[in-house]
Amino acid sequence: MADTPLDARTTTLVQTIGRLLLGVALLFAGIAHLTGARREFQAQVPDWLPLPADTVVVASGIVELALGAALIVLSRHRRGVGWVVAGFFVAIVPGNIAQYVNRIDAFGLDSDRARAIRLLFQPVLVAWALWSTGVWPGMRRKTRESVSRGGPHEGR
């Protein structure tokens, strides 16, 4: 198994279900960005971004649709998709910070506590993306294999 490319390794049934659920959640979020919740999402766009809020919301909605679909249909490339999804979740943190700092009420987040909880949930989404696509367990497995072979500095 050590010679098997990491992308070819399987994930558990629970991880696969988690990946599919995350994909569906991103599809719903992407649709919401482009339809009924568009104004709510605009309220979260930081003022310092040099683009119109609606442009940012539409672009992020399209990205969420693409990432959601990729999580569902590109299972052979799930690890690469997992990295991209995790990166996307990191990239939208400034919007969550802006919502908290500027005390913007959106999506029922109408208190500092609710906005803080939403902000603290962002690392959970990053972990979910990495775990459900096999990146997180693969990183640990790769580290264990490296240590068991003597690590990257073997022979020095």
Side-chain angles (χ1 to χ4, degrees):
M1 184 158 190
D3 294 332
T4 305
L6 289 175
D7 271 359
R9 293 183 180 163
T10 60
T11 51
T12 67
L13 177 62
V14 175
Q15 285 173 292
T16 299
I17 291 169
R19 176 176 51 83
L20 296 174
L21 288 173
L22 185 58
V24 169
L26 280 168
L27 288 173
F28 278 114
I31 291 168
H33 272 74
L34 303 176
T35 59
R38 196 160 164 174
R39 305 242 336 135
E40 299 267 345
F41 283 109
Q42 290 172 4
Q44 292 182 298
V45 176
D47 292 336
W48 52 263
L49 278 178
L51 297 169
D54 193 53
T55 301
V56 173
V57 170
V58 169
S60 62
I62 292 169
V63 169
E64 285 178 328
L65 288 170
L67 292 176
L71 281 168
I72 293 168
V73 301
L74 298 179
S75 62
R76 288 187 57 160
H77 303 286
R78 69 186 172 279
R79 289 175 47 85
V81 173
W83 279 114
V84 175
V85 171
F88 174 76
F89 287 144
V90 170
I92 61 175
V93 167
N96 296 328
I97 292 171
Q99 182 178 13
Y100 177 76
V101 170
N102 298 322
R103 295 182 162 166
I104 298 169
D105 296 344
F107 301 109
L109 304 175
D110 56 1
S111 70
D112 286 345
R113 181 175 183 234
R115 290 184 286 270
I117 290 170
R118 168 63 182 95
L119 184 57
L120 294 174
F121 187 66
Q122 208 64 28
V124 173
L125 290 173
V126 172
W128 185 0
L130 296 175
W131 169 79
S132 69
T133 58
V135 171
W136 191 338
M139 289 169 35
R140 288 184 302 198
R141 181 172 36 246
K142 187 175 181 179
T143 301
R144 277 194 306 258
E145 289 171 1
S146 177
V147 169
S148 70
R149 288 192 309 256
H153 303 291
E154 184 176 9
R156 287 188 183 177

